[in-house]
Each structure stands twice: as C-alpha cells, then as structure tokens.
Amino acid sequence: MSTTIDLRSDTVTKPTPAMRAAMAEAVVGDDVYGEDPTVNRLEARVAQMLGKEAAVFVASGTMGNLIAVLSHCQRGDEMILGNQAHIFMYEQGGSAAIGGVHPRTVPNQPDGTLDLQQVEDVIRGDDEHYPVTRLIALENTQNRCGGRVLPVAYMDAAGDLAQRHGVALHVDGARLWNAAIALGVAPARLVAAADSVSVCFSKGLAAPVGSAVAGSTAFIRRARRMRKQVGGSMRQAGILAAAALVALDEMIDRLAEDHANARQLAEGLAALDGINLAPESVQTNIVYFDVALPGTDAVQLSGRLAARGVLINPTGARRLRAVTNYHISSKEVAAVVAAVESALQEEAATEEVGRVAGSYR
C-alpha cells in the first residue's frame, strides 16, 4: 500500500484549502480585550447553533470541559459522570487536580447512556459528611461506547433530573455534530436541557485547532475567568477561529459520509474470520472491534496493519478502535478490510508454524 490510511482518530484530519485561505486572510485583534472580530463572530455563531446565550473559544476540548467543570463547581464539590467518560478517562484528572472537584462515576450502559435512576440514587443528600453534588456530565457521542448517540428524549430526561435536584448538566459534545447528523436534529435541540456544552472543531470538522463552550451569559462570564486561570486566553486567535467558521459552514453535513464509511468498515470487518463486531452498533464514525484469533492480541494486529500502511490503535488486550474521517473514502475502507484480512491470515500462518514446530520438540 503506497499511502498511509490513518484511522487512529478524527483528530488526524488536516485543514481544507478553504480553511487555510480563511486563516491567511482573517481579520484579527486582541481576544483578551475582546477585540478579535473573527473570534467574536465564531462565539456568536456557536451560541446561536447550540441555542445558548453565549460561548467562549478555547484551545482544546479538554480545556473546554475543564473550565466548564470549574465554572459549575467549587473545590470539594462532586460531579457525577460515566465510568467511560472522556473527562474521567482521558483528561489527566484535571477537574480533581486543578479544581478539587470530586468525580463520582456510575457505569455507562452499552448504548453510552447512564442509567438515570442510578444517577439519581447517587446524588448526595444534605449531610455534612458528604461532598455537595453540583454537576452531572454526559458525553454525546459516547466515544468509549463506540461513538453511540444519546437521543433527544434521553437528553431531555437527564435535564429534567438535574433540574429537579438543583444540579447543573454539562454535555461533553466533542462529537455533538456527529450525533446531530446521525439523529437528523439540530444541535441546539440535542442540548436544549443542558446548562453548558463543549463542542470541538478539530475532529470530524477538520479544523486545525479549537473547541468552544456555550451556556448562559453569566456562566460564560465565569468560564472566561476560568480560561484565564488555566492559561487559555489567546491573543490574535482569529487566525484559528477563521478555520473553525469554515468548518461550521462546510464540514457538518459531510459527516454523514464518515458515518456511511464507518458502517461499510464495520460490515466488512464483521465478515472476517477472527474479528468480533456487531455492525448494527455502529451509529457514527467510530468502530470498535475485537480480535478473536487464538494467540493474537490487539497490539500484534495493530503492528501488522501498520506494516501494511493502515494505522489503527489498540484500546485493550484484544480491542481496537478505527475512526473514519475527512481523509477516508469508501475505496480506502475496502483497502483497510483487505489489509485486516491479510494481517489475520499472516497471524494464523505464524501461529500454525509455531504449533507445528512445537510438536517436534
């Protein structure tokens, strides 16, 4: 295979020519003074798209989630989130390390949701022995559960639960755009019940840098202070915001192509001996699959695929994750399936040679 097919993540996407042109021509100012017109335009656009009063541009999704948690919670407060949540698994424990916010996890269900009865059961009562429950955090789409989509009715029910108990609801919407396309609804409808939401521009939308946090005007005022505190205020950030604006204009609808390619990949992989995968579980652009070949683990298969020009990350002893993105076509999906089949056959042959050799000892 002459070129590399990179399925490690949708973060590997590179900006489009239109984004590069917009960056070169961006009108900029000092964003810390609120004087960058391109950043201001992006923040207003995001707030409008998400149905919130205001938004703030940040360098990354991790920063966006962190300042959202810090804005909702005081030191010693507690947030409830899934045990597979990105905030809990992959963000360096920043809410605890920096904010002193205590995480209370409940199990993510296979469809990415949290059992709302379990969530309600762990909301703390008024007792001096307990931390105060301030926040529920959901992730939509849910990465570790296979890019699964949390539907509108569930999001509304979670918001109702939070409101009944006087608790805030934050949505980690790094791939909210994918969820909206998969469900055929406006992003604002998906997060109507949320007090805050973070969204990313540099995954499936292919912008080079950036995320945003949206919420009420008062909340975003606090979030700007938290952004400053963690070193996230930027100066002539309009150069980055310009690419994000192009992403919002041109890259959301095409996410449906990534979803179709992911389903094609899932169906192709599921047909291979030595792979366990339920194609119907693939709803967006993330495909998890398990190696079922005796004597073969995920690291070995990943290595053999890399030698064939296909990059797919292992995520467990036998599990791998592939993420379709802007640079992956249907033709390349077919090439990936062929590469996995070839790698499995090589593994099986190697295992057989070892077995036969061992029988002569």
Side-chain angles (χ1 to χ4, degrees):
M1 202 171 295
S2 59
T3 58
T4 298
I5 301 175
D6 196 341
L7 293 168
R8 290 174 298 171
S9 178
D10 43 10
T11 61
V12 303
T13 50
K14 295 178 175 60
T16 66
M19 291 177 193
R20 294 176 185 272
M23 293 170 73
E25 298 167 4
V27 180
V28 300
D30 192 319
D31 182 48
V32 176
Y33 289 119
E35 296 174 354
D36 191 305
T38 309
V39 171
N40 293 343
R41 186 155 57 97
L42 174 65
E43 291 173 343
R45 176 82 182 281
V46 170
Q48 180 270 326
M49 292 180 72
L50 298 177
K52 304 303 179 188
E53 293 177 349
V56 59
F57 184 48
V58 295
S60 70
T62 294
M63 181 182 289
N65 286 330
L66 177 60
I67 68 169
V69 173
L70 297 181
S71 299
H72 285 301
C73 301
Q74 301 293 319
R75 297 190 68 84
D77 286 345
E78 182 173 76
M79 69 170 165
I80 299 169
L81 72 173
N83 67 339
Q84 300 299 312
H86 195 277
I87 293 174
F88 182 68
M89 295 287 292
Y90 299 121
E91 297 184 6
Q92 279 278 332
S95 57
I98 298 171
V101 178
H102 182 252
R104 177 74 177 271
T105 62
V106 298
N108 280 98
Q109 304 302 302
D111 66 356
T113 63
L114 306 181
D115 184 318
L116 294 182
Q117 185 59 61
Q118 291 183 7
V119 172
E120 188 163 28
D121 289 344
V122 300
I123 293 175
R124 304 283 189 167
D126 185 7
D127 187 311
E128 65 183 28
H129 296 86
Y130 300 153
V132 176
T133 303
R134 295 286 187 197
L135 180 65
I136 298 168
L138 300 175
E139 184 179 329
N140 199 3
T141 66
Q142 217 298 333
N143 172 15
R144 290 271 299 180
C145 294
R148 299 297 288 270
V149 174
L150 280 58
V152 170
Y154 177 83
M155 300 296 289
D156 288 348
D160 290 343
L161 171 63
Q163 190 171 40
R164 286 200 311 273
H165 290 273
V167 175
L169 175 63
H170 172 68
V171 176
D172 174 359
R175 296 183 176 91
L176 188 78
W177 316 113
N178 295 83
I181 288 296
L183 292 170
V185 302
R189 180 65 191 91
L190 260 183
V191 295
D195 296 284
S196 63
V197 54
S198 61
V199 290
C200 186
F201 310 119
S202 64
K203 292 186 172 67
L205 301 194
V209 177
S211 290
V213 179
S216 69
T217 300
F219 172 81
I220 293 301
R221 189 176 300 117
R222 293 195 299 275
R224 286 187 184 279
R225 293 184 66 86
M226 294 302 103
R227 183 183 70 166
K228 181 68 173 180
Q229 191 172 77
V230 300
S233 295
M234 297 178 282
R235 298 298 179 175
Q236 286 73 38
I239 292 174
L240 303 176
L245 282 164
V246 173
L248 293 178
D249 287 338
E250 300 182 1
M251 303 300 284
I252 294 178
D253 288 344
R254 64 144 304 278
L255 292 174
E257 299 172 21
D258 294 346
H259 299 176
N261 287 335
R263 178 56 72 95
Q264 177 190 340
L265 176 62
E267 290 172 350
L269 292 175
L272 301 179
D273 290 336
I275 296 295
N276 282 341
L277 168 64
E280 65 275 9
S281 69
V282 176
Q283 296 178 328
T284 54
N285 66 326
I286 297 177
V287 180
Y288 280 90
F289 60 98
D290 294 316
V291 185
L293 193 68
T296 303
D297 62 26
V299 171
Q300 290 171 322
L301 180 57
S302 178
R304 291 195 185 278
L305 290 173
R308 289 164 168 78
V310 175
L311 302 183
I312 298 178
N313 279 341
T315 61
R318 290 187 169 274
R319 174 156 288 201
L320 298 95
R321 185 189 77 156
V323 185
T324 55
N325 58 71
Y326 172 59
H327 303 305
I328 304 299
S329 67
S330 176
K331 179 180 177 181
E332 286 168 318
V333 168
V336 170
V337 173
V340 174
E341 183 175 26
S342 171
L344 289 171
Q345 290 171 347
E346 182 179 354
E347 286 283 359
T350 301
E351 177 70 15
E352 178 63 17
V353 168
R355 186 190 66 77
V356 171
S359 69
Y360 288 99
R361 288 177 185 167

